[in-house]
């Protein structure tokens, strides 16, 4: 009997060691699984596997508000077969022939941008992956917030954010994730070493060395095994122990999201990767695909609604909404339901909608797949007053957040925060979507960006499990509407 028991217990120990080792297996990717190449129109690149990719054409129509490029599109030929790719703007790599390809940026974005984020010196940048295979090594890339996908406002790669007095534009590079000030946890997206925390910097990474690190009191820079520098900005606070030289693991808490530094006053994490680009200079590495993959791996959603990016137009103009990039594990979205802020509805992936009055609106998309599972996303439409592009034609806005966004229990309080922008007139009205009476708050209207009490705070408790649509709105002195919406799922 004893002869059997000993080997059995030994076996158990070995199994435990094996399981533990698997769980703690490090994924140290040093070379990412894609090739990056910058091309002029007519120029070709041959991938390591011999696929010939040619840049055929670039389209960069100028928008009406700031002559902004909100949809730069390229046509590339892959071994003779053509495909159109929109640069940045919530786009995932597309499969064609023996590869997956995307286009992070085009020359027109660089030429009209107030900063050269990308280090692109040709007409467009293309990335190519093998047809089968991940966009970044599995397990090596997570999601930098403990928060639902699209839980709050975002400004992702290449979204036009603001006009600049010199006629240039501020296009966002990297990813802005709206969060709940001092409550949403920021975690490491990768295993990394902290090379800069606040003003402190690890020797060898100072700007003088040619690194892309620009220390600031609210910023962390992390360096991963791929040699990529990650900028995490606008922290409310860093966690104790997070300092220059700290080694962090994927998913490890770094601190709490805030609106410090040059945030513009809205609480968000600015997350941006800088890598060596084909020009030889440090440029922004588009991370939408990595974040999408990382989020799916961590949270396993069955379905994700995508109605972003946002739109900006003048009053009286219309927008073609786009929910076609929503994704379902089941493979097909069978229903697209749009609920507009004026009370009307539409169906189908891409309805057109006219906006007669200036304001900022947050429209609702509900997608349902063939398994009957649904998800919700909101998209912002900024409608400028006619008569110029001056700042006073920009509509007021509201930014709303909540915490927690995951695993909310009925009967437990949820914290909601909101801040108005572009007006100090009036107050916010909250409808929590559960039939309870509305609540009013008065945020400071972003009068002082770094005001610690800039956001209005309100708690709300949902008594029953369910899915709730939260609406918060305010009007400025000219009667222009500003609103935000949140989707809250409450478990039993
Ligand atoms: Zn940002």
């Amino acid at each position: 009997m004893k002869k059997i028991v000993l080997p059995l217990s030994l076996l158990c120990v070995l199994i435990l060691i094996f399981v533990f080792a698997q769980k703690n297996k490090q994924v140290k990717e040093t070379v990412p699984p894609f090739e990056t190449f910058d091309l002029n129109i007519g120029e070709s690149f041959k991938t390591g596997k011999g696929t010939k990719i040619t840049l055929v054409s670039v389209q960069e129509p100028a928008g009406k508000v700031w002559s902004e490029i909100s949809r730069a599109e390229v046509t590339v030929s892959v071994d003779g077969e053509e495909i159109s790719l929109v640069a940045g703007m919530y786009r995932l790599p597309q499969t064609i022939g023996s590869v997956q390809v995307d286009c992070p940026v085009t020359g027109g974005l660089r030429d009209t941008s107030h900063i050269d984020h990308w280090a692109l010196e040709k007409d467009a940048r293309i990335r190519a992956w093998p047809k089968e295979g991940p966009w970044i090594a599995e397990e090596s890339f997570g999601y930098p917030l403990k928060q639902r996908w699209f839980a709050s406002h975002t400004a992702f790669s290449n979204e036009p954010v603001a006009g600049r007095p010199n006629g240039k534009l501020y296009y966002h590079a990297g990813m802005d994730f709206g969060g709940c000030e001092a409550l949403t946890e920021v975690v490491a997206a990768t295993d990394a070493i902290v090379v800069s925390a606040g003003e402190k910097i690890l020797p060898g990474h100072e700007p003088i060395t040619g690194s892309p690190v620009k220390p600031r009191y609210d910023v962390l820079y992390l360096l991963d095994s791929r040699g990529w520098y990650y900028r995490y900005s606008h922290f409310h606070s860093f966690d104790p122990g997070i300092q220059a030289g700290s080694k962090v693991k994927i998913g490890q808490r770094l601190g709490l999201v805030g609106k410090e530094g040059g945030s513009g006053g809205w609480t968000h994490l600015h997350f941006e990767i800088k890598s060596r680009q084909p020009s030889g200079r440090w440029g922004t590495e588009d991370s939408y695909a990595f974040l999408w993959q990382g989020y799916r791996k961590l949270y396993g959603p069955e379905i994700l609604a995508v109605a972003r990016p946002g739109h900006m137009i003048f009053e009286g103009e219309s927008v073609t909404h786009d929910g076609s990039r929503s994704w379902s594990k089941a493979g097909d979205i069978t229903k697209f339901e749009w609920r507009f802020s004026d009370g009307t509805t539409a169906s189908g992936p891409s309805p057109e909608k006219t906006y007669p009055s200036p304001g900022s609106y947050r429209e609702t998309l509900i997608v349902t797949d063939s398994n009957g599972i649904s998800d919700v996303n909101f998209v912002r439409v900024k409608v400028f007053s006619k008569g110029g592009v001056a700042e006073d034609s920009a509509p007021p806005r509201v930014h709303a957040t909540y915490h927690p966004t995951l695993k909310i229990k009925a009967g437990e309080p949820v914290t909601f925060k909101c801040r108005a922008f572009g007006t100090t007139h009036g107050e916010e009205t909250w409808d929590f979507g559960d039939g309870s009476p509305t609540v009013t708050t008065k945020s400071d209207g972003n009068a002082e960006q770094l005001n610690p009490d800039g956001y209005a705070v309100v708690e709300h408790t949902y008594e029953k499990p369910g899915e709730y649509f939260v609406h918060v709105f305010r009007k400025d002195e000219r009667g222009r509407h500003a609103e935000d919406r949140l989707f809250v799922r409450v478990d039993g």
Side-chain angles (χ1 to χ4, degrees):
M1 193 67 191
K2 206 177 175 188
K3 270 180 195 165
I4 300 164
V5 169
L6 260 177
L8 260 180
S9 54
L10 190 64
L11 190 65
C12 287
V13 168
L14 283 173
I15 287 169
L16 277 173
I17 288 170
F18 178 75
V19 168
F20 184 78
Q22 287 298 308
K23 230 182 148 184
N24 289 275
K25 196 167 69 176
Q26 302 262 317
V27 178
K28 291 269 183 231
E29 184 177 73
T30 52
V31 180
F34 57 89
E35 292 170 85
T36 306
F37 39 100
D38 295 349
L39 296 175
N40 284 319
I41 292 169
E43 202 178 350
S44 300
F45 176 87
K46 214 162 219 176
T47 68
K49 290 240 166 99
T51 303
K52 187 183 174 192
I53 301 176
T54 307
L55 180 63
V56 177
S57 62
V58 179
Q59 298 88 39
E60 295 161 324
K64 288 181 188 163
V65 175
W66 297 313
S67 300
E68 74 284 357
I69 299 170
S70 57
R71 189 188 168 92
E73 196 163 357
V74 300
T75 303
V76 294
S77 152
V78 177
D79 283 338
E81 191 184 347
E82 290 193 354
I83 188 170
S84 284
L85 304 167
V86 173
M89 303 294 261
Y90 304 78
R91 302 277 162 165
L92 296 170
Q94 302 294 303
T95 300
I96 177 166
S98 57
V99 293
Q100 303 177 78
V101 283
D102 80 352
C103 172
V105 62
T106 64
L109 287 156
R110 169 206 57 219
D111 294 342
T112 54
S113 171
H114 78 302
I115 298 176
D116 179 8
H117 303 289
W118 307 277
L120 171 71
E121 293 173 1
K122 295 191 176 183
D123 292 335
R125 173 165 299 149
I126 309 294
R127 299 187 296 187
W129 290 258
K131 184 178 182 178
E132 309 293 342
W135 296 321
I136 194 92
E138 295 276 0
E139 321 284 351
S140 80
F141 208 99
Y143 191 70
L145 292 172
K146 286 201 169 170
Q147 180 171 270
R148 267 178 73 90
W149 183 259
F150 287 159
S152 181
H153 182 65
T154 54
F156 280 5
S157 36
N158 306 352
E159 279 196 77
V161 177
R164 283 282 186 256
N166 62 359
K168 299 274 186 175
L169 271 117
Y170 170 22
Y171 292 102
H172 199 260
M175 319 304 259
D176 279 354
F177 304 86
C180 205
E181 188 176 17
L183 289 174
T184 307
E185 295 174 51
V186 180
V187 301
T190 61
D191 288 356
I193 182 163
V194 178
V195 295
S196 163
E199 308 287 355
K200 294 248 169 57
I201 188 161
L202 198 64
H205 301 275
E206 299 89 342
I208 199 169
T209 64
S211 89
V213 178
K214 292 178 186 152
R216 197 174 66 196
Y217 77 99
D218 61 303
V219 177
L220 294 179
Y221 275 92
L222 275 60
L223 177 67
D224 78 356
S225 58
R226 286 169 279 252
W228 293 354
Y229 285 93
Y230 294 68
R231 180 181 171 97
Y232 295 71
S233 306
H234 315 309
F235 277 89
H236 173 268
S237 53
F238 305 141
D239 271 17
I242 298 297
Q243 52 201 13
S246 305
K247 283 190 177 152
V248 296
K249 294 260 176 249
I250 185 169
Q252 184 177 334
R253 211 175 106 149
L254 302 174
L256 297 173
V257 78
K259 60 178 192 328
E260 297 303 308
S263 69
W266 72 290
T267 303
H268 67 278
L269 169 70
H270 173 95
F271 175 88
E272 184 171 5
I273 301 171
K274 290 287 186 192
S275 64
R276 288 278 187 199
Q277 297 300 332
S279 60
R281 295 188 284 128
W282 293 104
T284 299
E285 184 73 50
D286 196 309
S287 58
Y288 183 66
F290 314 149
L291 292 159
W292 177 279
Q293 185 187 302
Y295 183 87
R296 278 190 53 198
K297 188 86 194 167
L298 274 171
Y299 295 100
E302 295 287 324
I303 183 168
L304 290 172
V306 182
R308 302 179 194 203
H311 307 269
M312 51 186 190
I313 51 170
F314 282 114
E315 57 188 299
E317 295 178 346
S318 59
V319 156
T320 303
H321 287 285
D322 181 13
S324 66
R325 282 166 292 108
S326 300
W327 165 89
S328 158
K329 200 173 173 182
D332 57 338
I333 306 277
T334 52
K335 195 172 152 201
F336 295 84
E337 181 191 350
W338 297 84
R339 295 180 189 169
F340 298 120
S341 47
D342 64 359
T344 62
T345 59
S347 59
S350 48
E352 195 170 306
K353 176 75 186 161
T354 304
Y355 292 84
S357 309
S360 57
Y361 306 94
R362 191 77 71 167
E363 308 294 31
T364 305
L365 167 66
I366 306 167
V367 294
T368 309
D369 69 12
S370 50
N371 289 336
I373 304 170
S374 58
D375 190 34
V376 176
N377 189 213
F378 304 105
V379 59
R380 184 155 82 188
V381 181
K382 279 163 80 177
V383 183
F384 287 65
S385 308
K386 270 207 174 116
V389 297
E391 263 310 297
D392 73 346
S393 79
R397 291 169 286 130
V398 170
H399 176 226
T401 65
Y402 66 114
H403 179 83
T405 61
L406 295 157
K407 294 182 180 158
I408 300 168
K409 293 254 183 309
E412 287 180 6
V414 180
T415 303
F416 291 85
K417 299 192 181 191
C418 85
R419 191 177 205 186
F421 294 79
T423 186
T424 52
H425 179 83
E427 54 192 15
E428 298 94 17
T429 302
W430 289 83
D431 177 350
F432 292 102
D434 60 351
S436 61
T438 58
V439 170
T440 56
T441 57
K442 188 171 175 68
S443 72
D444 74 342
N446 199 34
E448 189 198 329
Q449 280 188 18
L450 300 184
N451 174 7
D453 301 317
Y455 275 76
V457 185
V458 57
E459 276 196 352
H460 186 78
T461 302
Y462 290 95
E463 299 301 339
K464 290 182 188 156
E467 294 182 336
Y468 301 96
F469 291 84
V470 179
H471 184 208
V472 53
F473 59 96
R474 183 167 171 168
K475 282 192 191 306
D476 74 359
E477 56 281 8
R478 290 156 66 177
R480 293 181 301 181
H481 186 76
E483 67 180 0
D484 205 352
R485 293 175 193 274
L486 302 167
F487 176 65
V488 182
R489 185 172 280 143
V490 179
D491 302 330

